[in-house]
Amino acid sequence: DSTPSAFRPPFARRPSSPRAMTAGSNGAANGMNGHKTVCIVGVAGFIGSHLLEKIIREKDWHVVGIDMVAPSKIQQLLGAEKKWAARFEFHQMDVTTKEGVECMREQIKRSDTVINLAAICNPSEYIKQPVNTINSNFTDAQDCINFCVEFNKHLIHFSTCEVYGRTLSSYGLDAADPKNYILDEETTPMIMGAVSAQRWCYACAKQLVERLIYAHGTQNGLKFTIVRPYNWIGPRMDYIPGVDGKDDGQPRVLASFMTALMKGDPLVLVNGGEVFRTFCYVDDACDAVVRIVERPEKSQGRCFNVGNPDNNIRISDLAELMIDMYSKITGKPKGTTVKISGEEYYGAGYEDSDLRIPSMSLVNKQLDWSPKTTLKEAMESTMRVFIDKYADKLANKKRSADEAAPAIKAAKV
């Protein structure tokens, strides 16, 4: 959920100084009064921030938050005046360093449940930094797993729906047969592309760490639950290039489309936008995670799809939906689209999964959970936050660039 630091050689450790920041003057997430203590690794990212907010507002649990990045997305939850101040503390640390790993070990030791969200999960990075992607999602995850084994903690590990790869129907099997395109946790085979298609390095690393977790469950008695998210969306997701992300960054599809809409640029449809995505509102999804924590007898030893099959949409249709909705919200003229190849947009080695529709049988049965928010409701809520936060900043940035353009052109002459 939060993006690890720049590349480092596999298994290398650098010294660091973990920094603790409590929500209030006490910041005592020790669970000594009998309340559950939950450690969230990757707490300052998109999913982590929403999960933290739900827990501390609705439960009496203590939360120990860990992340490598500054707590900008959870800043509104910090402060001694907050009524939950004594139940939350934040530790900023680099968990790829020796000192950071040891600090994480101590926080896991004092917790009851550990939720690991830390990962690189951006398609552009899979092509640009495949080694770092594999290390982040497999190598760096092992310390957290090992500590949960050592201290007998319930590990809730976040994987991805991408572990399923491409559907059987994409290889010519009957597209009308649900078993060829509905993704089931216990029966669907996982089919990746060629090794040379580096887009799959993320999915393969995530699948391998799932298998490692299962192996620890069998061999060492690890109490675990694996979550496979299906394109969770909501406020605070991703970034806008040039505002709170690097200028040449390529965020995921919703943030990319929002950037284009707010700048007045065409929305880019990679490979024509022919693939489908199934979007789930983050508030619904976090409810499922809380149920996993609350019901270990139902969740341990399981893998759960957490998505909304009713919100399945072709990316080209998503673009049209967002164009219409943006115009309705802002009163501005409708935007346009442009088609581009995946190789041109991301680089050589790009492939994509064709369809991601989750089976909901297991999560319904074990957790009595189903999502409630429609695609239009989720999109409008998310888009309004993007507009409120970024529209003026992008307009000012464009204005400054336009004003500077004549001087830059003159200097070149």
Side-chain angles (χ1 to χ4, degrees), residues 46-84:
F46 162 55
I47 295 173
S49 67
H50 283 276
L51 184 58
L52 168 66
E53 190 164 18
K54 182 175 181 64
I55 289 173
I56 62 176
R57 290 187 186 278
E58 299 179 11
K59 305 296 177 182
D60 61 359
W61 306 343
H62 293 269
V63 180
V64 178
I66 295 173
D67 212 303
M68 298 173 74
V69 301
S72 58
K73 292 186 179 182
I74 58 172
Q75 199 63 50
Q76 76 280 7
L77 304 175
L78 298 171
E81 76 283 359
K82 305 296 185 184
K83 63 181 181 181
W84 51 75

Side-chain angles (χ1 to χ4, degrees), residues 154 156-161 164 183-186 210 214 224-230 232 288-289 291-293 295-307 358-369:
H154 179 195
I156 301 173
H157 185 85
F158 270 62
S159 183
T160 172
C161 61
Y164 293 106
L183 305 177
D184 183 85
E185 298 97 327
E186 299 182 332
E210 282 195 21
Y214 262 87
F224 70 88
T225 307
I226 292 170
V227 177
R228 292 176 182 160
Y230 283 71
W232 296 4
V289 180
R291 292 179 187 224
I292 290 171
V293 177
R295 306 178 187 188
E297 75 285 355
K298 295 284 189 178
S299 66
Q300 287 181 7
R302 300 282 188 177
C303 232
F304 291 112
N305 290 331
V306 180
S359 166
M360 302 298 289
S361 299
L362 188 62
V363 74
N364 288 159
K365 176 183 176 183
Q366 296 299 113
L367 303 179
D368 191 28
W369 178 85

